[in-house]
Amino acid sequence: EKAEAICYYITSSVSVQSNQSSEAYKTNYGNEAYAALILKKAACSGRCKAVTLLCDAAGLESQHINANQWTHQWNKVKIDDGSWIVIDAQIGYVGTRHPLD
């Protein structure tokens, strides 16, 4: 439930940063959690970093998939029963396997 709430919060409150260049990131921090949580506009990398911060605060273990790569990024989160779920806070996906995996 916590993981789903985190995904819903980021997906519903953060707009997508479509310009995903290094220059744009220097200007508006789109690849940082700050962009998602404060500026409310971020690329997938910024959303993943925000999910990681919120998971840490909620006591959930998470992994940032494709971190520091120029490809789509998402998170895996360990839930209460010990299994892992996938969270893609850009497209609002919660499940057991990412569509791009």
Side-chain angles (χ1 to χ4, degrees):
E1 292 176 3
K2 291 177 188 178
E4 288 181 6
I6 290 168
C7 182
Y8 176 78
Y9 172 73
I10 298 294
T11 302
S12 64
S13 66
V14 180
S15 63
V16 176
Q17 178 179 326
S18 57
N19 183 348
Q20 297 182 13
S21 66
S22 294
E23 281 305 311
Y25 288 161
K26 289 177 189 175
T27 302
N28 58 18
Y29 312 101
N31 62 332
E32 299 297 333
Y34 176 81
L37 297 173
I38 304 301
L39 302 177
K40 301 296 186 190
K41 184 175 184 179
C44 59
S45 53
R47 290 165 183 264
C48 286
K49 290 175 182 177
V51 167
T52 298
L53 283 175
L54 294 175
C55 283
D56 287 348
L60 298 172
E61 184 179 347
S62 66
Q63 298 175 351
H64 183 155
I65 307 302
N66 297 326
N68 302 314
Q69 296 182 32
W70 286 101
T71 187
H72 188 61
Q73 300 173 25
W74 60 88
N75 297 81
K76 286 187 178 179
V77 178
K78 191 173 188 178
I79 57 174
D80 292 338
D81 69 3
S83 64
W84 290 84
I85 61 170
V86 170
I87 290 180
D88 187 328
Q90 182 156 312
I91 63 172
Y93 177 81
V94 177
T96 57
R97 184 179 171 105
H98 194 278
L100 297 176
D101 199 11

